[in-house]
Amino acid sequence: MTVTESKPSYKYVGTRPVRHDGLEKVTGRARFAADLNMSGQLHGIVVRSPHAHARIVSIDTSDAEAMDGVKAVITGDDFPAVDPSHRQYDMCINVIARDKVLYEGHAVAAVAASTRDQAQAAAAAVKVEYEVLPAVLTIDQAMAPGAPLLHAHMMTAGANPPAEEPSNISNVTRFSGGELDAGFAEADLVIEREFTTQPVHQGYIEPHACVADTGQDGHTTIWCSSQGHFNVRSSTATLLGWENSRIRVIPAEIGGGFGGKTTIYLEPLAVALSAKAGRPVKMVMTRDEVFRATGPAPGTKLRIKLGVKSDGDLVAGDAYLIYTNGAYAGPGGLLGAMTVFESYKIPNFEIEALDVVINTARSAAYRAPAAPLTAYAMETMLDEIAEELGIDPIDFRIQNAVTEGDPSTMGFPFARIGFVECLEAVRDHPNYKAPLGPNQGRGVAAGYWFNIGESSSATVNLNEDGTATVVTGSPDIGGSRASMALMAAEELGIDVYDIRPVVGDTEAVGFTDVTEGSRATFATGMAVVEACRRMVVELRGRAAKMMGVDVDDIDWMDGQAVYTGSDGEKAPLSVAEITAKAKRTGGPLTATGSLEAHGAGPGFAVHLCDLEVDPETGVVRVVRYTASQDAGTAIHPSYVEGQIQGGVAQGVGWALNEEYIYDSDGVMENPSFLDYRVPVASDLPMIDAIIVEVPNPAHPYGVRGVGETGIVPPIPAVANAIYDATGCRIRDLPMSPIRVLDAITSNGGSNGS
Amino acid sequence: MAVRVHLSSNLRGPTGGVAEVEADGSTVGALIDDLDRRYPGLGDALRAGVSVVIDGLLIAHPEYEPLADGAQVYFVPQTAGG
Amino acid sequence: MSRVHVTCTINGDPAEFLCDGGQTLLDALRDEVGLTGAKEGCGTGDCGACSIVMDGRLLCSCLVLAPEADGRNISTVEGMATGDDLHPLQQCFLEGAALQCGVCTPGFLVAAKALLDRNPDPTETEIRYGLAGNLCRCTGYDKIVRAVQAAAETINES
């Protein structure tokens, strides 16, 4: 670990206790959504479109309804109409199609029956008549003049002048600064490159699953796996046209999300089926459904032009970014525009980013959405420039890196950030100068992500024995319960194992936004700290009563109320001593913290990849990997390392293997883990994670989110290493064996720039 | 309260491309009202999913955020995450 | 449809259940026996989340028909701990933070135990190939491999 700034010494923060939910997870007792079964439950199955683009002419459910065991069949007609101007219109018509299907796998109906086999048979008996429409499957097709329109009402947002005709371009984002032409005129070296990338899936191991139990009183309880159960509640309510208060959502353990479980797919269908049948309904997606109908990250076409002076100063940047977010408008282009030049001082720039709709599954967030792709383009180009100028690639980045006070693309000056520290940590690591073997190459790349704050709530309850329960509303994807317990232990002075961190349901804790944007330990941690600080005020008051002194003479030190007044010696009171007498001093000890967290500190990461290319087959094997990342303060360093290492593995998969493959009709051809290959243990080496700590001034412990940034640098780090090994620049993802081999053979191993 | 307003470049349409303007307001909401009076149409743009950065703090829902005289307010697009 | 009666041993105890002829052993364990430790991540034998050991052989229980379990000896993650003693693999996964979301963890533990039963002192490469049938999307495998190394050491010392 590299500690770059002095930090206070903590008793618990920064230690590595066994996570509180660990025992359940290593014994098989943890209850994930598909592990839950309710008395009398039915099984729900979704009927999905076989076509990428079609008008629904009719749906005949009569045969299905008459089959054995079938208790309910629903279609889009069972849900209230939704206006295209509604904020969640896209989500609503994605969960269940109304007049049109927009991708293969789009839900058109759902069936509930006593057994899963019966439900499957009935789903197959739902007769849907389609009028097949020409499908738009690529960015080029979507933008071609006269292209079939996915959404008749879609006018390009952000267009200037305003769009007059509907198109498949959902929005345009433009940023600029300085004078672009003057910047390029000043440059001694100008390069322009184009890149293409394909959609990839988050690949969480747990398929989406839920159980909904709708009572005859019109209230429902949903047990489900999601990154945010309050969002499941509000989105489900929107789709059903219900009040939130009719829906209680109880979070199950979540088996991975990475952004893909920030939206919903099954829950409103399960509720509607349950309401119709008067029984609980369980729905579990197959892996095939997960691939076809949920979450890919966008595919892109990117073109970037950079100008640099011979001394290494970047002077101009021009980016034209096109993201496709599947069949609906998405934020890919905006986020690409906000990240592409964000890490570097580029005084003159223009960025134009488009979001384009095509007939593929609606994209969902995936860890630092959009940023890995802009990093792929930018960081491989920086590598080219550094080589051309004869400057060490890390020194070149340090020379141009943003530091505190530099303006972001959006204009605001950065607060204290740790980018240069991350670069230095990798430069100073033994990996950077270690010798390489034959056919091996080394690549370095950096990454950036904003991180977000949003709303969080926490309740701290002190138990009669002096232990504490900390209830938050943030589903624990990767160890956040342990982080909450560590911060509470630090605040209260209670041993970390005497704190039980719990994820509360929508009726057990205050509103909490989705676990996304690397916000749980940052924002929910702030709520925990706030609740604990209120608890300490309460504890001091109770202790003052017990000692018969003024509360101003009580300090809270190391888990004890300590008398600091001048009226003689008084024995300190522990939490257990205070809680034991709670009934006599005012009742149970409970405190809450609810807040909108401001000041999420940006996260930077720098990765170093050593790999070996088999010149006969084009197979790339990563042989050594070192990754630094600014965590602000690592609350539980093991789980910070885990976030970094996990991001590396996903990024390496994205770089080398992963892609959605569609046939000419828009049918996904690789919807299984056999054909959509994610990295396995034998594909990867150990991943040396360097935690850099440049505390975020906005957080009581200096936390920056760490969940996302780690996936940003791997693609360009791998690409730069492949270049170092082969002399080939590959500008299309994935860099699969066939593409690498093709590059080697067509370039004869020479520089492919 | 006189406030220095910095607009990210995608928000400069109503100001005719001007990046920095002066406006008044004791809260961000009041500031946006004043900006809308000075630059018609800017209010809608700033109320639709825009965050601010004040004193280095990113604030996602700033309507009632108090402003000091001479504050520097940066309007930026709202971000998302995975 | 008449159901099939299966008699077998699960985690050392005699067990019997009724299943459909076409039901997978994974579904039978989860839905008929009530052991939900094994997970379905894919249903096609590609992810290893449903790993079990049957008659000493590591298998994806989603690829085994439930009636095939008749007369067999089955071990699942629920049988790894002995009373209140965790298996060294479980203990090392906990101490080494070798899990994040935890959904792949039961499969990894079962597969790692099968590996160590066969090869008590594996190299890092042998561990990586021994666990290559199990997908983890959270950890990047680093801490899993280290936990298995640590568990092997613990077992070999005792």
Side-chain angles (χ1 to χ4, degrees):
Chain A
M1 183 194 290
T2 309
V3 178
T4 52
E5 292 203 339
S6 62
K7 65 170 179 175
S9 73
Y10 298 121
K11 187 170 177 187
Y12 297 104
V13 164
T15 63
R16 301 175 184 239
V18 167
R19 61 193 282 169
H20 298 68
D21 54 324
L23 185 68
E24 288 182 12
K25 288 177 177 164
V26 299
T27 53
R29 295 207 292 269
R31 306 280 272 169
F32 293 84
D35 301 335
L36 302 170
N37 293 299
M38 301 300 145
S39 180
Q41 87 187 358
L42 306 172
H43 296 266
I45 295 280
V46 177
V47 180
R48 297 186 181 279
S49 166
H51 306 293
H53 195 192
R55 189 168 308 287
I56 300 172
V57 178
S58 65
I59 304 179
D60 179 357
T61 60
S62 53
D63 286 358
E65 281 162 4
M67 290 171 73
D68 278 352
V70 173
K71 305 295 181 191
V73 183
I74 56 168
T75 70
D77 289 343
D78 288 272
F79 296 86
V82 54
D83 188 87
S85 65
H86 191 283
R87 191 176 57 84
Q88 288 191 294
Y89 173 77
D90 286 355
M91 183 277 293
C92 290
I93 63 166
N94 186 52
V95 168
I96 188 148
R98 308 301 166 91
D99 57 333
K100 266 174 88 173
V101 291
L102 295 169
Y103 57 92
E104 186 239 353
H106 199 162
V108 294
V111 175
S114 299
T115 70
R116 200 172 157 86
D117 286 348
Q118 288 170 337
Q120 258 157 353
V126 171
K127 284 187 253 169
V128 186
E129 190 188 333
Y130 295 100
E131 176 198 341
V132 177
L133 302 170
V136 172
L137 297 172
T138 65
I139 286 170
D140 290 340
Q141 287 172 10
M143 294 175 67
L149 293 180
L150 272 73
H151 304 277
H153 59 271
M154 183 178 275
M155 307 294 275
T156 306
N160 187 19
E164 288 174 2
E165 301 280 330
S167 75
N168 290 322
I169 302 171
S170 65
N171 40 293
V172 179
T173 304
R174 288 193 184 84
F175 291 115
S176 59
E179 296 290 337
L180 191 67
D181 292 342
F184 279 116
E186 210 187 323
D188 297 311
L189 172 67
V190 174
I191 67 168
E192 182 169 0
R193 301 285 178 256
E194 291 186 17
F195 302 81
T196 62
T197 76
Q198 304 305 319
V200 299
H201 199 273
Q202 294 82 351
Y204 31 82
I205 306 301
E206 179 206 32
H208 299 260
C210 69
V211 189
D213 186 1
T214 311
Q216 281 73 8
D217 61 356
H219 284 67
T220 197
T221 303
I222 301 169
W223 293 260
C224 66
S225 160
S226 84
Q227 289 178 237
H229 40 295
F230 286 88
N231 173 60
V232 172
R233 181 177 70 174
S234 59
S235 295
T236 302
T238 297
L239 229 142
L240 292 162
W242 289 14
E243 303 83 26
N244 277 1
S245 57
R246 287 171 64 184
I247 303 172
R248 177 185 183 190
V249 184
I250 301 177
E253 294 300 332
I254 169 173
F258 316 109
K261 292 178 184 167
T262 59
T263 186
I264 62 165
Y265 300 97
L266 294 176
E267 289 81 0
L269 306 180
V271 172
L273 287 168
S274 174
K276 212 163 185 175
R279 304 255 296 267
V281 173
K282 178 172 179 172
M283 300 184 82
V284 183
M285 279 196 199
T286 63
R287 177 57 53 184
D288 182 277
E289 288 180 286
V290 171
F291 273 117
R292 291 184 200 277
T294 76
T300 63
K301 280 183 75 168
L302 312 171
R303 188 177 73 226
I304 295 179
K305 183 176 167 187
L306 292 175
V308 61
K309 292 181 73 77
S310 55
D311 65 2
D313 279 346
L314 288 166
V315 287
D318 187 8
Y320 181 60
L321 317 172
I322 310 174
Y323 281 72
T324 169
N325 300 285
Y328 302 90
L334 169 67
L335 297 173
M338 290 171 75
T339 53
V340 61
F341 294 147
E342 190 72 341
S343 304
Y344 300 99
K345 292 176 281 196
I346 302 176
N348 309 291
F349 66 90
E350 284 185 19
I351 304 164
E352 181 175 353
L354 308 183
D355 285 296
V356 169
V357 294
I358 61 174
N359 288 113
T360 61
R362 181 188 185 216
S363 68
Y366 182 19
R367 236 177 173 161
L373 304 170
T374 47
Y376 170 42
M378 257 311 270
E379 295 286 327
T380 54
M381 291 177 68
L382 294 179
D383 204 57
E384 270 193 67
I385 292 171
E387 186 186 33
E388 186 78 24
L389 297 180
I391 306 176
D392 173 271
I394 292 187
D395 290 341
F396 176 55
R397 285 173 173 82
I398 290 174
Q399 180 177 342
N400 289 284
V402 288
T403 57
E404 183 174 0
D406 286 329
S408 85
T409 300
M410 281 81 71
F412 66 86
F414 278 106
R416 185 79 178 88
I417 48 174
F419 185 22
V420 168
E421 287 80 355
C422 287
L423 286 160
E424 289 169 345
V426 167
R427 184 194 61 195
D428 299 340
H429 191 282
N431 191 170
Y432 194 53
K433 301 282 184 209
L436 289 165
N439 298 316
Q440 292 188 349
R442 175 168 295 148
V444 65
Y448 161 83
W449 186 244
F450 320 98
N451 298 327
I452 65 170
E454 301 290 349
S455 295
S456 283
S457 297
T459 300
V460 177
N461 297 315
L462 291 186
N463 303 309
E464 305 92 297
D465 58 1
T467 63
T469 307
V470 174
V471 189
T472 72
S474 289
D476 180 354
I477 310 189
S480 59
R481 283 187 186 91
S483 297
M484 302 307 156
L486 282 162
M487 286 181 272
E490 196 71 48
E491 291 290 324
L492 297 172
I494 298 177
D495 189 272
V496 68
Y497 291 119
D498 284 335
I499 292 175
R500 296 303 301 174
V502 172
V503 183
D505 69 61
T506 52
E507 294 182 0
V509 67
F511 178 88
T512 300
D513 274 309
V514 175
T515 296
E516 64 177 353
S518 307
R519 61 174 292 281
T521 301
F522 168 73
T524 306
M526 284 169 85
V528 168
V529 170
E530 183 173 282
C532 289
R533 289 184 179 174
R534 287 185 179 150
M535 178 60 82
V536 166
V537 170
E538 185 67 24
L539 283 164
R540 287 172 53 230
R542 303 296 183 92
K545 269 190 193 172
M546 289 168 70
M547 293 184 198
V549 301
D550 193 293
V551 69
D552 292 339
D553 290 333
I554 301 282
D555 272 4
W556 192 256
M557 293 161 65
D558 202 18
Q560 291 187 313
V562 177
Y563 177 65
T564 57
S566 52
D567 187 18
E569 293 272 310
K570 295 187 188 299
L573 291 170
S574 68
V575 175
E577 286 168 318
I578 298 169
T579 55
K581 294 201 172 171
K583 270 182 181 293
R584 288 175 244 175
T585 58
L589 286 144
T590 275
T592 61
S594 281
L595 47 79
E596 171 73 16
H598 298 163
F604 287 87
V606 178
H607 289 193
L608 186 61
C609 174
D610 289 357
L611 53 73
E612 188 169 314
V613 180
D614 183 337
E616 304 288 317
T617 62
V619 169
V620 173
R621 193 168 59 87
V622 177
V623 296
R624 188 172 180 183
Y625 206 104
T626 300
S628 70
Q629 188 170 325
D630 179 13
T633 298
I635 301 297
H636 192 310
S638 296
Y639 289 101
V640 173
E641 292 161 1
Q643 289 295 325
I644 296 171
Q645 291 160 338
V648 169
Q650 287 184 316
V652 168
W654 198 337
L656 294 177
N657 292 307
E658 296 181 34
E659 63 176 322
Y660 267 55
I661 300 169
Y662 295 98
D663 74 8
S664 57
D665 294 323
V667 174
M668 187 183 180
E669 293 192 305
N670 58 337
S672 74
F673 278 137
L674 185 65
D675 295 318
Y676 182 99
R677 196 178 179 291
V678 307
V680 299
S682 53
D683 293 327
L684 293 167
M686 294 297 188
I687 298 160
D688 197 350
I690 308 169
I691 302 172
V692 171
E693 295 187 304
V694 177
N696 174 9
H699 187 276
Y701 289 101
V703 167
R704 295 174 198 277
V706 294
E708 295 168 287
T709 313
I711 202 173
V712 182
I715 301 173
V718 167
N720 290 337
I722 289 175
Y723 169 75
D724 192 40
T726 65
C728 299
R729 291 276 176 202
I730 300 177
R731 301 195 180 91
D732 305 293
L733 292 185
M735 294 174 278
S736 52
I738 192 158
R739 200 167 259 153
V740 173
L741 193 60
D742 191 46
I744 295 171
T745 47
S746 61
N747 287 322
S750 65
N751 189 326
S753 51
Chain B
M1 305 283 171
V3 174
R4 189 87 183 147
V5 175
H6 304 256
L7 299 165
S8 65
S9 45
N10 62 324
L11 298 171
R12 292 174 198 160
T15 66
V18 176
E20 290 184 34
V21 298
E22 297 284 341
D24 288 305
S26 56
T27 63
V28 173
L31 178 70
I32 292 174
D33 291 342
D34 187 50
L35 285 166
D36 197 49
R37 278 190 290 274
R38 295 170 191 238
Y39 307 100
L42 188 53
D44 284 347
L46 297 182
R47 286 187 200 99
V50 172
S51 301
V52 300
V53 177
I54 304 171
D55 291 335
L57 275 189
L58 178 67
I59 302 171
H61 305 282
E63 185 177 356
Y64 298 104
E65 203 60 29
L67 294 171
D69 201 33
Q72 306 271 334
V73 179
Y74 296 82
F75 284 95
V76 300
Q78 215 158 60
T79 57
Chain C
M1 184 168 56
S2 65
R3 306 192 86 203
V4 182
H5 180 225
V6 174
T7 305
C8 59
T9 302
I10 301 179
N11 297 327
D13 293 329
E16 48 188 315
F17 57 85
L18 293 175
C19 63
D20 296 332
Q23 200 171 3
T24 66
L25 180 55
L26 172 63
D27 283 346
L29 286 170
R30 291 174 56 82
D31 298 338
E32 314 298 340
V33 184
L35 293 175
T36 57
K39 310 297 179 195
E40 179 167 317
C42 66
T44 50
D46 298 315
C47 80
C50 65
S51 296
I52 58 147
V53 170
M54 188 159 83
D55 286 352
R57 228 178 121 196
L58 177 68
L59 296 168
C60 287
S61 58
C62 72
L63 296 184
V64 179
L65 288 173
E68 293 182 82
D70 196 52
R72 307 297 189 102
N73 189 346
I74 292 164
S75 306
T76 72
V77 70
E78 286 92 343
M80 275 184 77
T82 312
D84 61 357
D85 287 332
L86 291 177
H87 187 278
L89 277 162
Q90 293 171 310
Q91 193 61 39
C92 291
F93 266 58
L94 285 179
E95 288 169 3
L99 58 147
Q100 282 179 32
C101 80
V103 81
C104 71
T105 307
F108 267 97
L109 287 166
V110 168
K113 181 171 182 299
L115 170 68
L116 296 186
D117 286 348
R118 205 170 60 239
N119 177 1
D121 193 18
T123 63
E124 182 193 330
T125 301
E126 286 170 338
I127 293 171
R128 288 187 178 279
Y129 280 89
L131 299 178
N134 293 74
L135 299 183
C136 170
R137 194 63 161 169
C138 293
T139 64
Y141 304 103
D142 181 296
K143 292 185 192 305
I144 292 176
V145 173
R146 289 179 200 277
V148 176
Q149 289 173 322
E153 239 173 78
T154 307
I155 294 167
N156 294 335
E157 278 166 12
S158 60

